[in-house]
């Protein structure tokens, strides 16, 4: 009698298999987020190899689709790296202001900054039409956030 309730559950197999799918999806999401971060950093490297940086082209190399999909699916970014940024993770003084931030915060902030730059480009037709020092600073800040995130995940 104590086990009768168990026989009334018809979709146990589906529930168990959904956990397997969740694990696969989480691993796939983690891999894709890391891949996107790596490619974005390589985008900066590509731009760096030129004598002058075309910010419109650099922006076109930057992707945030995977971050947005992870956010939509309520992915737990702490599965990439638990904890928060501490002094030992910071290699560049300019990143000290991010002490205490999590991987989730950094991913969300990077996502929002890429979208912000796209909005600026759309509004001004080109990032080249905006004061170069302001755009340069925004891209620089974005790069150092990505670098910090990569160093944090790898530590």
């Amino acid at each position: 009698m104590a086990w009768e309730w168990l026989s009334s559950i018809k979709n146990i197999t589906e529930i168990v298999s959904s956990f397997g799918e969740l694990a696969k999806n989480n691993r796939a999401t983690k891999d894709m987020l890391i891949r996107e971060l790596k490619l974005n950093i390589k985008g900066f490297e590509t731009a760096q190899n030129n004598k002058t940086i075309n910010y419109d082209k650099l922006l076109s190399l930057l992707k945030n689709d995977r971050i947005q999909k992870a956010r939509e699916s309520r992915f737990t970014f702490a599965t990439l790296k638990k904890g928060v940024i501490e002094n030992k993770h910071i290699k560049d003084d300019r990143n000290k202001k991010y002490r205490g931030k999590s991987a989730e915060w950094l991913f969300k902030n990077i996502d929002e900054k890429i979208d912000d730059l796209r909005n600026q480009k759309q509004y001004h037709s080109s990032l080249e039409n905006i004061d170069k020092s302001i755009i340069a600073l925004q891209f620089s800040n974005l790069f150092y956030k990505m670098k910090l995130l990569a160093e944090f995940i790898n530590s």
Side-chain angles (χ1 to χ4, degrees), residues 77-84 89 102-104 152-155:
F77 288 90
T79 60
L80 277 164
K81 180 70 174 187
K82 290 182 188 216
V84 295
H89 302 119
S102 66
E104 178 176 16
F152 179 54
I153 291 170
N154 287 323
S155 67

Side-chain angles (χ1 to χ4, degrees), residues 59-113:
L59 181 59
S60 72
L61 296 176
L62 301 179
K63 308 293 181 221
N64 60 340
D65 302 332
R66 297 299 175 172
I67 300 172
Q68 290 176 348
K69 285 180 182 173
R71 290 177 75 178
E72 286 170 7
S73 70
R74 298 179 188 223
F75 176 75
T76 306
F77 288 90
T79 60
L80 277 164
K81 180 70 174 187
K82 290 182 188 216
V84 295
I85 294 170
E86 300 172 12
N87 285 335
K88 65 182 179 182
H89 302 119
I90 300 171
K91 295 187 170 91
D92 302 291
D93 285 343
R94 67 188 292 168
N95 283 334
K96 286 183 178 178
K97 60 187 168 192
Y98 303 120
R99 192 177 319 130
K101 303 294 184 188
S102 66
E104 178 176 16
W105 186 91
L106 279 169
F107 270 111
K108 286 179 178 180
N109 193 276
I110 289 166
D111 173 42
E112 290 163 4
K113 189 60 197 173

Side-chain angles (χ1 to χ4, degrees), residues 1-9 12:
M1 287 217 185
W3 294 100
E4 287 178 343
W5 62 270
L6 190 58
S7 63
S8 67
I9 301 173
I12 291 178

